[in-house]
Amino acid sequence: MAEGAVAALMRCGGNIPEGVRAGPQGEGFALYRHRSAGKLGYWHGYYWARRRGSGDYEIWSIPDHPGGRPVPCGIFPREGFGRYYERCDPA
């Protein structure tokens, strides 16, 4: 895992297992956590997201198992994004 990704996860209270490849998938990504993740003990709820030219967000999951790789989750509309996700790493 990239050193910057580890620091961002620690600021957000994350505990990603050793061996997980959790670095961002390109330029412009920031670390976010789903707001419901704290309510579910088994789900860390971390995602990489970046704002696209349209204003919507491209989202990639962060795996929670060794050997796992981030997976594209799709595009989330800009309306309501902040209701579901909070940024973990400061701008």
Side-chain angles (χ1 to χ4, degrees):
M1 181 182 326
E3 193 171 313
V6 171
L9 288 168
M10 298 323 311
R11 282 193 299 275
C12 208
N15 185 19
I16 302 298
E18 190 71 30
V20 170
R21 296 182 195 110
Q25 298 304 297
E27 295 295 318
F29 279 92
L31 182 67
Y32 286 83
R33 188 170 192 215
H34 195 282
R35 293 181 185 272
S36 295
K39 299 173 187 169
L40 305 170
Y42 58 89
W43 178 46
H44 64 65
Y46 292 107
Y47 295 88
W48 289 110
R50 69 176 164 190
R51 198 163 192 174
R52 298 162 26 115
S54 62
D56 297 333
Y57 289 84
E58 175 184 354
I59 300 176
W60 288 67
S61 70
I62 295 178
D64 61 355
H65 58 281
R69 295 175 181 264
V71 175
C73 296
I75 306 301
F76 196 99
R78 69 176 166 232
E79 296 84 18
F81 183 80
R83 271 195 318 252
Y84 295 99
Y85 297 93
E86 60 186 339
R87 189 169 176 162
C88 294
D89 55 343

